[in-house]
Amino acid sequence: MRNVVYASKAIDLPRSWKKLDEIEVILTEDFVYAITGFLGVIISGNESSETIESIKESGYPVILWDIYGKENDNKGLTTYFSFKIKPKKEFFLQVLKNYIAFLKEKVAKQHFEIKLRAQEILTQELLQIGVALSAERNNSKLLHYIVSKACEITKADAGSLYLLDNNKETGESSMIFKISHNDSNKTDFSEFRMPLVKKSISGYVAITGTPLKLDDAYSIPPDVEYGFNKSYDIKTNYRTKSMLTVPMKNYKDKVIGVIQLINKKRKRHIILSDQKSVEESVITFDKLDEEIILSLSSLAAVSLDNNFLYNEIEKLFDSLVIASVKAIEQRDPTTGGHSSRVALYTIALADAVSQDNDFFKQINYSEDQLKGLKYACLLHDFGKVGVRENVLVKSKKLYPGMLEHIHLRLDNLISNIKVKTLEMKLMLNRTDPSYKDKLKELDLKEANEIEKLEKYREVVIKANEPAVLDSEPEKILSEIKNETGTSILSEKEYEFLSIKKGNLTKNERDEIMSHATHTYDFLKNIPWPESMEWIPEVAKSHHETLDGCGYPEGKRKDELPLESRLMAIADIFDALTASDRPYKKSMPVEQALKIIDTEATKGKLDRELVDIFIKKEVYKAAELQDSKI
C-alpha cells in the first residue's frame, strides 16, 4: 500500500502509518534540511548505482531524491523532492515528529517576527501622529485628524470626539459634540452641547475617567449607570454594535474630552451597508485597540491643551495689539479705524497675490504669514507715540488757539480804531462849518482801516487751511507781518501761515515722518517668533516708494519686502478715502484709484500690485467686512 503525505500540512500522524511498509512522501526543501541530521545519508538521483549500493551496504538508512517538479517549472513552483524510504517505522515517525516540531517553531518565529514588525510599524505611526499633533495649530483640523487616525488604526467604521466645557460664571460642566466621522454613513453632523451626566456612554467615561468597551451597544446590562441612545441609528438606518470609548487626559491627569469609536471591522475598506454586513464584518475591539487609543488620546489631549494655551496667548497678544492701536487712535482720533482698514486691505491684497498666476506664481501666503502681516498692519503707526501730540493732531497750519489769539488782536485793533475815531470826533468844533465834512472824513478813515483789518482776518483764515498757498495771500501775509505799529502776527504764526503746501512745517513733517522709525524701534523689542521676525522691518517701510523718494530710509523696490509694498498701497488708498480727516474731505473711490494708478505709473507704487488691487476689487474689502458685521 502506498500513501502520499504533504508534511507542511501534517499535524498528527495517522495510525494507519504504523502498518505501512513503504511511504512515498512529497515534501518541501525545508523537510530535507530538517531530517538531514536524523537519517544517515541523503543522496541525489544523479549518483551512480555503484555509489548508492556501497552506501546501502554501510548499514545507514538511505534517501534517494531527485527534482520532482521539472514539468512545473514554468508555473514558478517551489522545487519538491520525491523519495522512497524503508527504514524502521519508529525511526521514520520520530523523524517526522521532529519535523513537525521544527515547523511549529518556524511558524511561531514567523508569527513573532510579523507581530514585532507590526508593533514597530504601529510605534512608528504613533510617533508620526504625535509629531503631526504637536505641529497642528488649527483646532478644527487637529480634532478631525485625531478622529480619522483613531478610526484608521483600529479599523473602526465611525468615530466621534467630545470636549468638556466648564462655564466659569455658573460653574456648570457640559460636553460639546465636536467631530464625527463615519465611513458607511456620510450624514452631516453639527456641533451641539449636551449635559455631562453618567446616563450617556461618553458622559460616563468623562466623569469616571475609565475606558469603556462594549461588544454590542444594543445588549448593555440593565444594572449599569449608562445606556445607549438608538435615535441616531433609527434616523440614519445605521447599526451600532461594538464600541470603544476612552477619556482624553492631559498632563495633569484631568479629563478634557472623550474619543468614541464604533464598529471595528475585519477589514478597513468594508462598508457597512446593512444589518447583514454588520453581523459579518463587525468584530469586538480588543485590548490592544484600547491601549493604542489610550495612547493616542493622551497625545491628543496634550496637543489640545497646548493649542488651548497657544490660543489663549494669541488672544492675549491680539488684545494687546488692539489696545495699542486704540491708544494711538485716542491720541489722534482723526485717524480712528485707519490701522484696522489698512490690515483688511493688505490681507485681501495678499490673498489676491497668492492666487495670481502671472507675476506672483511663487507667492503663497500661509496662515501664520497672513497673521504676521495683520500684526504689521495694525501696528504700522504705533510709532506715533513718539510724536508730540500737538503735531500729531494738527489739522490746520496754526496750532489750536493760535487763530483765536490773532482774532483777539484784530478785534482789539478795531476797537482801538473806533475809540480813537470817537476821541477825534469829540475834539471837533461843532460850530465849525466843516464839522460834518470832518465827521464823514473820520468815519471813512475808520471804515477803511477796519476794512483793511478784516481783509487781513480773511487772509489769515484762508491761509490757515492746509491747501496750496496762492501768491496773493502770501504777499498780504508779508504785508501783515510788516505792518507798522501793529503786532498782528508773531514770527511763529507767520512761519506757520506761510507754509506753501499742507499744514506742516519742515520740522513738523520730519517729526511726523519719524513715526516709522519709532515704530521699528518699538516692534524690534518684541520677542517675535522666528516665522514673524520680519514684522518690524515691514511695518517700518510702509511709507517707502519704489523710486527711493519715500521714508525713513529712501529704499528702492529691490530693497523693499513685498509685504511693505502691499501695505503702502493699502495705506495710501485708505488715507485718500477716509472720511475722518479734518484737514481734507473724503475722496471718491474712483478718484483715489486713479491717484494710486498714477503713482504706479510714476514708479512710486508697484504696478503689478496696483493692477491686482484694482482688477480684483480689493478696495472693497473694508466695505465687505462692514457688511458682515
Side-chain angles (χ1 to χ4, degrees), residues 101 105 117 166 168 241 248 349 426 492 495 611:
E105 182 180 351
R117 178 58 183 158
N166 296 315
K168 294 181 180 180
K241 193 174 183 183
M248 296 170 61
L349 182 55
L426 292 174
K492 184 63 68 176
E495 179 188 356
D611 287 344

Side-chain angles (χ1 to χ4, degrees), residues 17 88 149 168 170 197 231 244 287 379 387 418 426 439 507 525 529 558 560 562 586:
W17 281 22
K88 292 181 180 181
K149 281 299 178 183
K168 294 181 180 180
T170 63
V197 292
S231 59
L244 174 61
K287 187 65 177 177
L379 295 170
V387 179
K418 290 181 178 180
L426 292 174
L439 283 178
N507 290 337
N525 288 317
D558 57 352
L560 293 172
L562 175 61
S586 175

Side-chain angles (χ1 to χ4, degrees), residues 245-286:
T245 310
V246 299
M248 296 170 61
K249 296 182 179 181
N250 62 13
Y251 66 97
K252 295 180 180 178
D253 203 37
K254 178 183 177 182
V255 177
I256 66 169
V258 169
I259 296 176
Q260 188 172 78
L261 302 178
I262 297 172
N263 288 345
K264 177 180 174 66
K265 297 179 289 190
R266 297 181 187 277
K267 295 182 179 180
R268 181 79 180 91
H269 66 277
I270 295 175
I271 299 298
L272 305 179
S273 56
D274 50 29
Q275 181 72 25
K276 182 180 178 182
S277 63
V278 171
E279 295 301 327
E280 292 177 349
S281 303
V282 173
I283 57 178
T284 302
F285 290 97
D286 55 30

Side-chain angles (χ1 to χ4, degrees), residues 384-419:
K384 289 181 177 179
V385 295
V387 179
R388 288 178 298 152
E389 189 167 355
N390 60 343
V391 176
L392 188 65
V393 300
K394 190 179 180 186
S395 58
K396 308 289 185 180
K397 292 181 181 179
L398 296 172
Y399 288 129
M402 279 188 168
L403 182 61
E404 286 72 14
H405 288 158
I406 296 173
H407 283 315
L408 288 174
R409 293 187 206 122
L410 289 171
D411 290 341
N412 187 52
L413 288 173
I414 291 173
S415 297
N416 289 340
I417 291 172
K418 290 181 178 180
V419 170

